[in-house]
């Protein structure tokens, strides 16, 4: 049975009249998450207090949720765990992968990768010294430069600015052929499109949950370790909850078996509660249907904007297979244009230097919202409505 | 005006009849936190969506809350920031401190330190290689072994098992005299007793907020960097929110000025909201009064238990200046005894191998609860009520 998007829409709480095309940055509020968080605060924390770690299952949440997310990204059971932030999980994956290729020194990434991934890699190389180096090339050049010097390839599947999608299977195969390992950042993939980590042979993957998985602001990150590496990959950040026996309080670190070793400190129980409730939508939504609907909405948006706003330049590939779940246009006044849109109830976001970004999340956005977004964008562009001082003033977070 | 503990008690929501002596592990629920979290979920996330980062002040929360906690621990304004977990903050402080003493290779700690601190230090030494080593001695021996080989001394002020308190001023002075830096873990100090980081010359400090600061399960950690080091200390985990201009999305990492560089990834907004509301109790509570009341409750408990339960051995120093905010007793059957207490509505916790731990948090616990705890413990011990199969079965989290 195909996904009923009216039914999924009813599970979300969105302000009336708002056209929200920024689920690629922060997903909308699932009604169930509000209730679950309130119950976790008053019913669990308030009433169970410390016993909530056992009674309410807080301690098992990171692995339990990991399996639910694992099913959305083609991961084997028991190969995903939640915790920390995406940046921290990038560090862990990189450090573990480098240690599995001790004779190599190059981390390969691309200039379209999210800066925090690159910054973490840069920091790790600096800490390791000994010739470790981060090499970045243009996104379309990655395939051509994978060679026997590369220890680890670190790629975000969907480019946060352009929405361009890498070919996970082809790049992973090329990395493996060169003896390198592949780490995939699924920030703009998990919950947006089908991912097949096991089938495509990924060695590690990382991601966040506050975008297409709708866990709310600051929801936890996750990490995947392929089962073939799980007992060899060391977590680098060797915290007590990754210990084989955390409550034995031993003096020396012994990594837990399997994915649990990638846990570090105490999990953020309130954020986990929101996430767990947010995942309920996947009981009635199929990721393949979501993908098909998102591409259709994107096509509708591209056609509408190109017809009405010739001054905007499409930055996203038209080809479905090379596109993620967002559509971006370039304009030198992109910041002011986005502010003008937001002032008119159409929310996307801006990414320096000139990218207007619109995310298409069929769980709670449909053709009517896309039509309205096109209409408002056309008004703004055709009337130069962005060219006002109040739209040009930069906010702290843009 | 002395703190009105009836007024602070009224700010917390505790189950009727429960004697909760485990605020040293997870603080009780402040009524204001429940309301604040609910508002953050439905009023901010639900209604503002992505614009909450500016409109609701989510992005500034880690520094804003940092200053409020800073006032409780004697830190300079602008020297504390929230985020991640305590273990991650230990890693950052250690890595930054080691880099400030490049000619030395020893991290000095003690065997009473919380294992995660030691595990993170062990993992960091392993990653750095090059002769870096973690050296641990018995808690009372630290002062005698500080010498010119020590790069960094990493000490948790109050021992999580025994409740023994180190002398921060003396140890820090000794470290400095030997040319070493001092990192203080305030897990069992912040919100429990007066701390004077600036006065005592601490170089770095770290802590958690879910114990005596009542932020709820999985609340964020914090880090303090002395202003004299703030622009020299590199964060090691170089995430985008520690960048000088995170929203410029530059290709290379440039650390932010001051404490902001210790931020890593997206902050956990729901946990931060709970924490921010939980800190309101300090508007009417004075930390010196809390300390005095806690010591009095501890004295009452020690006297009562020693009179009624000679089979229990005090593990905590009697001397006030050497004691934190908890009292611990040893018994070979400590686990079963604690389970028997919990079954009778007195909640403390057990720490391997033989420690019964009771925390005294005057914000919501008073003399009547302590008297009741003594009474129940006496019943359990005098009647051997712990010696039943159901009390000996280990739970996952103990």
């Amino acid at each position: 049975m195909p996904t009923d998007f009216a039914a999924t829409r009813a599970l979300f709480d969105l302000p009336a009249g708002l056209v929200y095309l920024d689920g690629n940055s922060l997903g909308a509020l699932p009604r169930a998450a509000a209730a679950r968080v309130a119950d976790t605060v008053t019913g669990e924390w308030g009433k169970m207090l410390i016993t909530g770690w056992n009674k309410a299952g807080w301690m098992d949440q990171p692995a339990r949720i990991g399996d639910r997310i694992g099913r959305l990204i083609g991961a084997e059971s028991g190969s995903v765990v939640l915790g920390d932030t995406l940046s921290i999980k990038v560090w862990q994956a990189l450090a573990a992968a480098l240690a599995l290729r001790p004779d190599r020194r190059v981390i390969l990434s691309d200039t379209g990768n999210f800066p925090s991934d690159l910054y973490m890699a840069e920091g790790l190389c600096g800490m390791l010294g000994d010739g470790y180096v981060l090499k970045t090339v243009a996104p379309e050049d990655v395939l051509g430069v994978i060679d026997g010097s590369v220890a680890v390839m670190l790629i975000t599947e969907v480019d946060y600015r352009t929405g361009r999608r890498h070919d996970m299977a082809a790049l992973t195969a090329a990395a493996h052929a060169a003896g390198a390992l592949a780490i995939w950042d699924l920030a703009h993939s998990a919950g947006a499109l089908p991912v097949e980590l096991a089938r495509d042979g990924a060695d590690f993957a990382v991601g966040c949950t506050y975008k297409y998985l709708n866990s709310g602001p600051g929801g936890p990150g996750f990490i995947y370790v392929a089962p073939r590496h799980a007992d060899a990959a060391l977590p680098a950040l060797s915290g007590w909850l990754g210990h084989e026996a955390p409550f034995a309080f031993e003096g020396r670190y012994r990594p837990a078996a399997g994915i649990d070793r990638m846990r570090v400190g105490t999990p953020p129980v309130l954020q986990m509660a929101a996430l767990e409730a947010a995942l309920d939508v996947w009981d009635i939504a199929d990721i393949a249907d979501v993908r098909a609907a998102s591409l259709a909405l994107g096509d509708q948006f591209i056609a509408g904007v190109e017809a009405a706003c010739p001054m905007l330049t499409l930055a996203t590939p038209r080809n479905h297979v090379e596109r993620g779940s967002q559509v971006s246009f370039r304009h030198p006044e992109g910041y002011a244009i986005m502010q003008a849109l937001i002032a008119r109830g159409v929310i996307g976001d801006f990414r320096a230097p000139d990218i207007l970004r619109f995310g298409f999340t069929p769980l709670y956005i449909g053709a009517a919202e896309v039509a309205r977004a096109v209409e408002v964008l056309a008004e703004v562009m055709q009337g130069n409505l962005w060219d006002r001082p109040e739209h040009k003033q930069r906010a702290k977070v843009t």
Side-chain angles (χ1 to χ4, degrees), chain A:
Chain A
M1 201 165 63
T3 301
D4 176 356
F5 287 113
T8 64
R9 172 67 183 83
L11 299 180
F12 289 87
D13 206 0
L14 275 162
L18 194 75
V19 176
Y20 191 63
L21 303 181
D22 209 8
N24 51 305
S25 192
L26 177 66
L29 170 63
R31 292 180 201 280
R36 185 77 64 90
V37 171
D39 183 59
T40 299
V41 172
T42 57
E44 295 179 6
W45 174 17
K47 294 201 169 44
M48 299 178 189
L49 293 147
I50 190 67
T51 67
W53 288 107
N54 287 312
K55 279 190 198 160
W58 296 340
M59 195 49 78
D60 298 325
Q61 225 167 7
R64 192 168 70 226
I65 299 176
D67 273 339
R68 293 183 71 178
I69 291 177
R71 288 195 285 276
L72 289 174
I73 56 177
E76 301 87 343
S77 171
S79 64
V80 176
V81 74
L82 276 289
D84 306 299
T85 63
L86 173 51
S87 293
I88 295 292
K89 290 322 196 194
V90 166
W91 176 279
Q92 284 190 290
L94 275 174
L98 289 177
L100 292 173
R101 289 292 177 272
D103 53 326
R104 300 186 179 198
R105 290 291 177 273
V106 176
I107 298 171
L108 175 64
S109 191
D110 70 80
T111 54
N113 202 348
F114 189 69
S116 205
D117 290 30
L118 303 179
Y119 301 160
M120 294 304 276
E122 186 185 337
L124 180 61
C125 289
M127 177 174 278
L128 292 172
D130 197 25
Y132 280 96
V133 64
L134 168 65
K135 174 179 178 177
T136 54
V137 298
E140 54 276 14
D141 295 340
V142 173
L143 191 62
V145 299
I146 300 171
D147 62 23
S149 72
V150 177
V152 186
M153 181 184 73
L154 169 66
I155 302 288
T156 296
E157 187 185 16
V158 177
D159 190 302
Y160 76 108
R161 278 179 302 208
T162 64
R164 178 184 181 279
R165 184 189 187 197
H166 280 290
D167 183 336
M168 186 181 291
L171 283 179
T172 303
H176 289 174
L181 295 172
I183 302 174
W184 287 94
D185 180 339
L186 305 178
H188 291 268
S189 306
L193 44 85
V195 176
E196 294 290 348
L197 291 176
R199 185 197 70 191
D200 291 346
D203 297 290
F204 295 84
V206 293
C208 65
T209 60
Y210 47 75
K211 297 177 186 289
Y212 296 98
L213 296 174
N214 309 302
S215 71
F222 65 83
I223 187 167
Y224 160 84
V225 181
R228 63 186 175 280
H229 299 307
D231 288 324
L234 289 171
L237 300 167
S238 41
W240 71 306
L241 290 186
H243 193 281
E244 176 67 21
F247 290 91
F249 299 102
E250 297 174 3
R252 297 288 304 232
Y253 182 73
R254 287 189 295 127
I259 191 68
D260 277 350
R261 63 179 56 186
M262 292 295 165
R263 295 179 65 164
V264 183
T266 305
V269 171
L270 308 188
Q271 311 276 162
M272 293 275 179
L275 169 56
E276 194 157 28
L279 292 175
D280 287 350
V281 70
W282 298 102
D283 293 344
I284 62 166
D286 182 88
I287 188 73
D289 295 339
V290 168
R291 170 64 168 164
S294 171
L295 287 168
L297 295 174
D299 286 345
Q300 177 192 347
F301 187 73
I302 292 172
V305 174
E306 290 195 324
C309 312
M311 55 295 274
L312 295 177
T313 308
L314 183 66
T316 303
R318 289 174 204 280
N319 183 350
H320 283 182
V321 77
E322 290 176 56
R323 195 203 298 172
S325 191
Q326 79 192 52
V327 169
S328 301
F329 284 91
R330 293 186 191 279
H331 191 285
E333 292 289 346
Y335 182 82
I337 295 167
M338 185 52 72
Q339 294 308 305
L341 286 176
I342 291 170
R344 287 161 182 80
V346 175
I347 302 201
D349 62 21
F350 170 77
R351 285 292 172 261
D354 62 354
I355 293 273
L356 291 148
R357 197 167 69 152
F358 303 90
F360 299 97
T361 50
L363 294 177
Y364 51 82
I365 288 293
E369 283 88 357
V370 174
R372 175 72 187 147
V374 170
E375 188 181 302
V376 174
L377 181 53
E379 282 170 19
V380 165
M381 296 311 298
Q382 288 164 11
N384 284 334
L385 304 183
W386 52 268
D387 193 13
R388 297 175 180 178
E390 71 269 25
H391 296 324
K392 297 188 172 184
Q393 184 152 4
R394 297 277 174 135
K396 181 153 187 164
V397 182
T398 57

